Amino acid sequence: MISVENLTKRYNTITALHQVSFTTRPGIELVVMGPSGSGKTTLVNLIAGLDSPTGGRIVVNDMEVTALSGDTLTAYRRDHVGIVFQQFHLITYLTALENLMLAQYLHSIPSESDALDSLDRVGLRDRADHLPSELSGGEQQRVAIARAITNDPDLILADEPTGNLDEDNERIILDIFRQLKQDGKAIITVTHNPAVGKTGDDILYLDHGKIVSPPVREKNDFPVLH
Ligand code: ADP
Ligand code: MG
């Protein structure tokens, strides 16, 4: 169970998030939709424990993330969360396999067979020895997803995961997410892309840092609630 309670984040005079509350759970993909600047990346960074809020609480499986610091916060990030970014963030001089094994090294003892299994899950086992520059954008994002799941996190956070991809690759990534949630992962995806929104089990709309009702005027651009 993941619970976000009255989460507020201010950067000096800018309120990036204001009293945001929601819950989600394993086996569900929650999509948070909102335009640029609505606070999506801020939300992901807070849940990932990469930044701390001005107010409110985040609880992930009985861990109060917002109360953690130092080693316990590092352990939370390492053992419980996998993050997928729009820009992939692969290390350019390491192969796909080495990128995964580096992530494992930071977590525990690297296991080549576990890393290959993760690449298999995203359909890229045969590309293990390729550098990111030898892979397409969609393939690089699949490696990044394999990296995010190789430590078997409870929660996967995705920030505009298909933002740099064409529609075919978007579909492949969304299929991988569908399988991950069937395996019982909780997924929180933030996006401004209605096509991604449509694939979520639950959907929330963020506007100027607040949870809002589905925008009526743009209703043709936004997925209908269930
Ligand atoms: P989104 O991901 O939806 O585009 P962000 O979470 O990146 O939105 O940003 C939300 C708001 O917070 C924006 O107005 C942005 O300019 C501001 N913001 C984000 N990060 C910082 C920061 N480090 N310092 C100051 N303002 C920030
Ligand atoms: Mg963003």
Side-chain angles (χ1 to χ4, degrees), residues 108-216:
S108 56
I109 297 163
S111 154
E112 186 168 324
S113 72
D114 285 356
L116 285 169
D117 282 350
S118 297
L119 285 172
D120 201 29
R121 301 215 37 198
V122 299
L124 288 177
R125 195 187 182 97
D126 59 337
R127 309 300 294 275
D129 296 328
H130 289 233
L131 293 169
S133 61
E134 297 165 342
L135 300 169
S136 71
E139 289 163 348
Q140 288 182 56
Q141 188 60 306
R142 284 151 67 191
V143 173
I145 294 171
R147 179 183 56 188
I149 61 176
T150 195
N151 298 328
D152 200 23
D154 316 310
L155 172 62
I156 295 164
L157 297 167
D159 189 353
E160 306 275 10
T162 62
N164 285 338
L165 305 179
D166 58 61
E167 275 181 26
D168 286 347
N169 277 299
E170 183 175 290
R171 212 168 303 123
I172 292 169
I173 302 297
L174 296 177
D175 275 346
I176 294 170
F177 281 179
R178 197 169 304 132
Q179 281 163 25
L180 289 171
K181 77 188 184 198
Q182 278 164 8
D183 294 345
K185 306 287 181 205
I187 305 179
I188 301 177
T189 304
V190 304
T191 183
H192 69 278
N193 181 348
V196 176
K198 278 187 190 127
T199 66
D201 302 293
D202 287 328
I203 186 158
L204 289 173
Y205 298 92
L206 204 57
D207 193 17
H208 292 96
K210 292 182 190 166
I211 302 284
V212 295
S213 307
V216 175

Side-chain angles (χ1 to χ4, degrees), residues 9-12 14-17 34-45 51 159-160 190-192 206 209:
K9 176 69 180 178
R10 278 190 289 271
Y11 298 105
N12 300 316
I14 296 166
T15 302
L17 289 176
S36 179
S38 57
K40 303 184 298 296
T41 296
T42 302
L43 179 64
V44 165
N45 287 343
D51 201 356
D159 189 353
E160 306 275 10
V190 304
T191 183
H192 69 278
L206 204 57

Side-chain angles (χ1 to χ4, degrees), residues 2 36 87 114 197 217:
I2 293 133
S36 179
Q87 279 89 6
D114 285 356
R217 268 183 299 133

